[in-house]
Amino acid sequence: MNTHATKPTLVLGGTGKTGRRVVERLTERGLPVRVGSRSGKPPFDWDDQATWAPALDGVGSVYLTYYPDLALPGAVEATRSFAELAVRSGVARLALLSGRGEPEAERAEQAVRDTGADLTILRSTWFMQNFSEDYMLDHVLSGEIRLPAGEVPTPFLDIDDLADIAVEALTDDRHVGELYELTGPRSLTFAEAAAEIGGAAGREIRYTPVSLEQHAAELADHGVPPEFVDFLTYLFEEVVDGRNADTTDGVRRALGREPRDFGDYARQTAASGVWNASAVSAQGRDDG
Ligand SMILES: NC(=O)c1ccc[n+]([C@@H]2O[C@H](COP(=O)([O-])OP(=O)(O)OC[C@H]3O[C@@H](n4cnc5c(N)ncnc54)[C@H](OP(=O)(O)O)[C@@H]3O)[C@@H](O)[C@H]2O)c1
């Protein structure tokens, strides 16, 4: 065991999609963990620098995830300032969640590298769990995934794999200095992903490609804030354009096993009930 592992690990976004899984895994290993989010104790807020030092007090390592996205204005500067403060506070090891094919995310990676801390970079493609734990869940429940993603294939990653790698990076010296480019084992178009989800859920789920402008208008109609509309437009225009369609060996390099397949994710998620008809009618009641 490393000396820093006897001190708590601060897991930023520790109630979110990847952070929650990292917290669970560290806790299962009996390692001390602190959740870094606005609901944490003490609270951590990216928008309130006064919360950063108390959250870092006594911490030995950090799972560093920025919210909402490293590609947004101000994210690189905030990540740099936070990482520098972390190192000054005695943090020896960082695992950084980064985004694949995003120049701004690569600037954030360099800013964190510049601190000189032991660093592992997890540069991830789109998460499979965006279909079940994020805004694409509403599309699935409605039976129609309407996105400006054309016919571009994406090698979706299962974030259970990502969380396994984050925990290894935080606890095992052999990952220090590694940059893991992370994808699942297969690239799927959104039409193929919709068909696999529909097959597993036992309902018809179709994909309808829409233009960037139409998507932005539909988001605005649903009350999504303008800066988030701009961000999603950037994402579909710049990141989902085919340049990130290939798969990588990142999961195998990090864990010595193959990444989980979209079909397994779809079957397991369907069995949890999150996509089933009662979830649809419950959502209708909540909306109404
Ligand atoms: N989604 C993807 O496909 C994908 C792919 C590659 C990389 N990424 C990267 O993953 C990172 C996280 O994205 P995500 O979509 O997975 O989100 P997420 O981790 O599910 O986000 C929610 C978490 O952020 C916390 N949070 C929200 N606002 C906060 C604030 N102002 N200060 C501190 N914590 C805050 C929430 O807790 P509280 O509500 O308690 O604050 C919660 O723990 C981003 O940097 C993104 O670039 C995402």
Side-chain angles (χ1 to χ4, degrees), residues 11 14-31 33 35 133 160 163-164 167:
V11 178
T15 57
K17 289 189 291 299
T18 69
R20 176 170 60 77
R21 290 171 163 83
V22 173
V23 168
E24 280 168 11
R25 284 161 171 73
L26 291 171
T27 305
E28 276 166 16
R29 289 192 186 195
L31 296 170
V33 183
V35 169
E133 300 176 28
D160 280 322
D164 285 346
V167 169

Side-chain angles (χ1 to χ4, degrees), residues 72-278:
L72 285 169
V76 175
E77 293 68 27
T79 304
R80 179 194 309 280
S81 302
F82 174 81
E84 287 172 354
L85 179 65
V87 171
R88 284 202 301 280
S89 315
V91 169
R93 179 160 305 183
L94 297 163
L96 173 69
L97 174 58
S98 180
R100 190 171 186 225
E102 297 181 14
E104 289 300 294
E106 290 184 27
R107 281 185 55 219
E109 291 171 9
Q110 190 56 46
V112 177
R113 214 179 264 123
D114 289 344
T115 64
D118 288 353
L119 173 65
T120 309
I121 296 170
L122 282 59
R123 189 190 280 170
S124 174
T125 185
W126 274 50
F127 304 158
M128 294 179 189
Q129 280 79 2
N130 291 338
F131 290 104
S132 46
E133 300 176 28
D134 208 322
Y135 82 107
M136 287 199 291
L137 172 60
D138 287 346
H139 292 236
V140 174
L141 292 178
S142 76
E144 185 183 23
I145 298 172
R146 295 173 62 81
L147 293 174
E151 304 303 324
V152 172
T154 299
F156 299 100
L157 175 74
D158 189 316
I159 57 176
D160 280 322
D161 286 339
L162 193 148
D164 285 346
I165 296 170
V167 169
E168 287 298 317
L170 290 162
T171 56
D172 189 332
D173 290 346
R174 77 185 175 88
H175 301 284
V176 171
E178 295 286 353
L179 188 166
Y180 293 122
E181 186 112 3
L182 300 173
T183 73
R186 253 191 319 147
S187 293
L188 292 89
T189 63
F190 278 78
E192 290 165 340
E196 294 210 15
I197 291 170
R203 294 195 290 121
E204 194 197 336
I205 316 261
R206 66 178 183 281
Y207 166 64
T208 306
V210 297
S211 68
L212 287 167
E213 295 73 21
Q214 198 174 348
H215 183 244
E218 289 177 10
L219 289 171
D221 282 349
H222 280 85
V224 176
E227 62 275 18
F228 214 68
V229 174
D230 289 349
F231 162 64
L232 288 171
T233 302
Y234 155 82
L235 206 62
F236 282 104
E237 196 169 17
E238 303 282 331
V239 182
V240 188
D241 66 351
R243 86 182 88 153
N244 299 306
D246 56 319
T247 59
T248 65
D249 65 354
V251 172
R252 198 178 329 122
R253 274 206 305 123
L255 297 175
R257 64 162 174 79
E258 295 305 311
R260 287 209 328 154
D261 188 71
F262 196 90
D264 295 329
Y265 155 76
R267 276 185 293 280
Q268 192 183 351
T269 306
S272 78
V274 72
W275 290 328
N276 69 15
S278 61

